[in-house]
Amino acid sequence: MFRISFPPPGRKRRVGTLLAVVCASTLVIVLGEPSGNDPAAAAPQAARPTPVVEPSQPSVEASPVEPSAAPTPTPTRTPPEQRLDDLWHDKGWDLSDYSASEFVQDACDMADQTDFLPEQVGESVPQALAMRAASQKSGAEALRAGVPLLCPKWAKALKKSLSGRYDRWITDDTYDIGTSPTQIPPGTYRTEGDIADCYWERTAANGDIIDNGLANVARKITVHISATDSTFTSEGCGVWTPVH
């Protein structure tokens, strides 16, 4: 025999409620998500990240390649020696067997040596340059143009030598009295140092001795040369320099 049992009254109410929930869930599945008015449904929707749209990059067109320009040639500068020799040819300077650059370079070297060992050379730098200028017919013109190019540090000394206003030093020799580079101008001269067996003399135009002296041992000797003297001779006296 079959027994039909009925649920108690309270159980019937719970079964009804369960059926109602199942029906509601079925409706949700069938009809889709609830509308945006439902706060519980809107929360997960708002949490979705908004897709970021990258800005479009402008297209870069390849610029045309410019043809490389030819380099500008650097102007070559004429060496000072060549410029001096060109001037020598243009002016027709008479320097015997020297070119202008050779003649001036020798004068520059002579000035350097004189400045380095003045007592040994026995000349002042202007005197050495003056002697060099006087050694050739066009020597002064070549030095005037060439010294500023090849040894500009001696330009002032050259100016003195060409003007004739420079110190003349006297070493062992016989000199004529005068104002040319190869002569000794009148004036007072002095030699100093360890002097031994020094002989000097002043002579007149007829060869007579005006004055002379012999010093076996001395530290200083002073001599005055007059404009009327003809020559002055020095032997073993060292270097005589002007007294100013």
Side-chain angles (χ1 to χ4, degrees):
M1 288 182 68
F2 295 95
R3 181 181 297 179
I4 301 173
S5 62
F6 294 93
R11 179 143 184 182
K12 182 179 180 179
R13 197 176 295 115
R14 287 196 297 271
V15 170
T17 304
L18 178 61
L19 290 175
V21 171
V22 171
C23 292
S25 300
T26 303
L27 286 176
V28 170
I29 294 173
V30 173
L31 297 179
E33 295 180 357
S35 64
N37 294 329
D38 189 351
Q45 190 174 17
R48 293 179 182 178
T50 303
V52 178
V53 180
E54 295 290 337
S56 60
Q57 298 294 330
S59 60
V60 179
E61 297 182 359
S63 59
V65 178
E66 295 290 336
S68 58
T72 303
T74 303
T76 57
R77 189 172 183 178
T78 306
E81 293 84 359
Q82 184 61 51
R83 291 159 55 192
L84 184 58
D85 285 339
D86 290 344
L87 187 61
W88 164 49
H89 289 299
D90 292 342
K91 298 293 185 180
W93 291 333
D94 184 359
L95 300 172
S96 299
D97 296 331
Y98 290 96
S99 68
S101 59
E102 291 172 342
F103 178 79
V104 175
Q105 188 59 58
D106 282 352
C108 294
D109 294 342
M110 183 182 298
D112 289 338
Q113 183 180 6
T114 301
D115 183 62
F116 184 66
L117 297 171
E119 297 296 331
Q120 182 175 335
V121 176
E123 293 178 324
S124 64
V125 172
Q127 185 178 4
L129 293 174
M131 294 291 290
R132 186 63 175 164
S135 67
Q136 298 294 331
K137 186 175 181 180
S138 301
E141 291 88 341
L143 291 183
R144 186 179 289 110
V147 166
L149 292 175
L150 302 188
C151 51
K153 68 178 180 178
W154 298 124
K156 290 183 178 180
L158 176 67
K159 186 176 181 180
K160 288 182 179 181
S161 67
L162 296 181
S163 70
R165 296 187 296 272
Y166 58 90
D167 288 346
R168 318 284 177 84
W169 297 4
I170 304 172
T171 55
D172 287 352
D173 207 342
T174 297
Y175 301 86
D176 292 333
I177 308 304
T179 57
S180 74
T182 58
Q183 297 176 325
I184 296 300
T188 302
Y189 294 84
R190 178 175 297 152
T191 180
E192 298 182 72
D194 295 328
I195 304 169
D197 300 327
C198 165
Y199 175 78
W200 59 268
E201 70 176 31
R202 299 163 48 209
T203 58
N206 60 4
D208 292 342
I209 297 177
I210 300 173
D211 194 7
N212 66 352
L214 175 62
N216 295 324
V217 177
R219 294 293 300 170
K220 181 188 302 183
I221 302 174
T222 303
V223 172
H224 178 76
I225 299 175
S226 175
T228 57
D229 293 354
S230 177
T231 63
F232 178 78
T233 299
S234 176
E235 297 179 3
C237 300
V239 179
W240 302 82
T241 58
V243 178
H244 298 291

mmCIF file of all heavy atoms in Angstrom, residues 4 10 22 41 46 70 73 78 92 115 136 158 174 198:
data_model
loop_
_atom_site.group_PDB
_atom_site.id
_atom_site.type_symbol
_atom_site.label_atom_id
_atom_site.label_comp_id
_atom_site.label_asym_id
_atom_site.label_seq_id
_atom_site.Cartn_x
_atom_site.Cartn_y
_atom_site.Cartn_z
ATOM 1 N N ILE A 4 0.474 8.215 1.306
ATOM 2 C CA ILE A 4 0.657 9.599 0.835
ATOM 3 C C ILE A 4 0.791 10.465 2.064
ATOM 4 O O ILE A 4 -0.106 10.500 2.898
ATOM 5 C CB ILE A 4 -0.490 10.062 -0.040
ATOM 6 C CG1 ILE A 4 -0.614 9.151 -1.252
ATOM 7 C CG2 ILE A 4 -0.317 11.498 -0.468
ATOM 8 C CD1 ILE A 4 -1.850 9.442 -2.096
ATOM 9 N N GLY A 10 4.415 24.454 7.680
ATOM 10 C CA GLY A 10 5.623 25.331 7.549
ATOM 11 C C GLY A 10 6.490 24.922 6.403
ATOM 12 O O GLY A 10 7.087 25.709 5.709
ATOM 13 N N VAL A 22 13.892 30.078 -7.632
ATOM 14 C CA VAL A 22 14.329 29.389 -8.856
ATOM 15 C C VAL A 22 13.721 30.046 -10.059
ATOM 16 O O VAL A 22 14.359 30.259 -11.084
ATOM 17 C CB VAL A 22 13.960 27.899 -8.761
ATOM 18 C CG1 VAL A 22 14.188 27.199 -10.105
ATOM 19 C CG2 VAL A 22 14.759 27.224 -7.666
ATOM 20 N N ALA A 41 24.201 45.475 -9.500
ATOM 21 C CA ALA A 41 24.689 45.093 -10.829
ATOM 22 C C ALA A 41 25.599 46.137 -11.414
ATOM 23 O O ALA A 41 26.457 45.859 -12.222
ATOM 24 C CB ALA A 41 23.480 44.841 -11.748
ATOM 25 N N ALA A 46 31.081 49.118 -13.391
ATOM 26 C CA ALA A 46 31.943 50.302 -13.265
ATOM 27 C C ALA A 46 33.390 49.917 -13.058
ATOM 28 O O ALA A 46 34.285 50.685 -13.358
ATOM 29 C CB ALA A 46 31.449 51.156 -12.098
ATOM 30 N N ALA A 70 80.959 70.084 -52.206
ATOM 31 C CA ALA A 70 82.408 69.925 -52.280
ATOM 32 C C ALA A 70 83.070 70.839 -51.256
ATOM 33 O O ALA A 70 82.661 71.985 -51.093
ATOM 34 C CB ALA A 70 82.900 70.270 -53.683
ATOM 35 N N PRO A 73 88.232 74.748 -50.735
ATOM 36 C CA PRO A 73 89.688 74.608 -50.559
ATOM 37 C C PRO A 73 90.255 75.726 -49.703
ATOM 38 O O PRO A 73 89.877 76.887 -49.837
ATOM 39 C CB PRO A 73 90.221 74.689 -52.005
ATOM 40 C CG PRO A 73 89.150 75.406 -52.769
ATOM 41 C CD PRO A 73 87.849 75.042 -52.109
ATOM 42 N N THR A 78 101.562 81.910 -48.836
ATOM 43 C CA THR A 78 102.928 81.903 -49.342
ATOM 44 C C THR A 78 103.901 82.040 -48.184
ATOM 45 O O THR A 78 103.759 82.925 -47.349
ATOM 46 C CB THR A 78 103.143 83.062 -50.331
ATOM 47 O OG1 THR A 78 102.150 82.991 -51.365
ATOM 48 C CG2 THR A 78 104.528 82.992 -50.954
ATOM 49 N N GLY A 92 114.967 93.706 -57.983
ATOM 50 C CA GLY A 92 116.287 93.579 -58.577
ATOM 51 C C GLY A 92 117.420 93.919 -57.615
ATOM 52 O O GLY A 92 118.408 94.539 -58.010
ATOM 53 N N ASP A 115 123.640 88.454 -29.596
ATOM 54 C CA ASP A 115 122.884 88.666 -28.366
ATOM 55 C C ASP A 115 123.222 87.619 -27.323
ATOM 56 O O ASP A 115 123.203 87.899 -26.120
ATOM 57 C CB ASP A 115 121.386 88.645 -28.682
ATOM 58 C CG ASP A 115 120.533 88.942 -27.470
ATOM 59 O OD1 ASP A 115 120.656 90.047 -26.911
ATOM 60 O OD2 ASP A 115 119.730 88.073 -27.086
ATOM 61 N N GLN A 136 126.646 94.292 -48.580
ATOM 62 C CA GLN A 136 126.116 94.128 -49.931
ATOM 63 C C GLN A 136 125.510 95.445 -50.405
ATOM 64 O O GLN A 136 125.044 96.260 -49.599
ATOM 65 C CB GLN A 136 125.046 93.024 -49.969
ATOM 66 C CG GLN A 136 125.548 91.649 -49.585
ATOM 67 C CD GLN A 136 126.541 91.098 -50.592
ATOM 68 O OE1 GLN A 136 126.497 91.422 -51.784
ATOM 69 N NE2 GLN A 136 127.453 90.246 -50.118
ATOM 70 N N LEU A 158 117.277 96.759 -35.898
ATOM 71 C CA LEU A 158 117.576 97.104 -37.288
ATOM 72 C C LEU A 158 117.291 98.580 -37.547
ATOM 73 O O LEU A 158 118.057 99.253 -38.259
ATOM 74 C CB LEU A 158 116.750 96.234 -38.231
ATOM 75 C CG LEU A 158 116.908 96.564 -39.714
ATOM 76 C CD1 LEU A 158 118.317 96.232 -40.183
ATOM 77 C CD2 LEU A 158 115.867 95.817 -40.554
ATOM 78 N N THR A 174 142.512 97.744 -35.999
ATOM 79 C CA THR A 174 142.732 99.171 -36.259
ATOM 80 C C THR A 174 141.524 99.708 -37.006
ATOM 81 O O THR A 174 141.118 99.155 -38.038
ATOM 82 C CB THR A 174 144.006 99.389 -37.086
ATOM 83 O OG1 THR A 174 145.150 98.933 -36.331
ATOM 84 C CG2 THR A 174 144.200 100.867 -37.405
ATOM 85 N N CYS A 198 147.603 95.014 -22.365
ATOM 86 C CA CYS A 198 146.738 95.754 -23.286
ATOM 87 C C CYS A 198 147.518 96.945 -23.867
ATOM 88 O O CYS A 198 148.064 97.764 -23.120
ATOM 89 C CB CYS A 198 145.497 96.229 -22.547
ATOM 90 S SG CYS A 198 144.540 97.502 -23.396
#
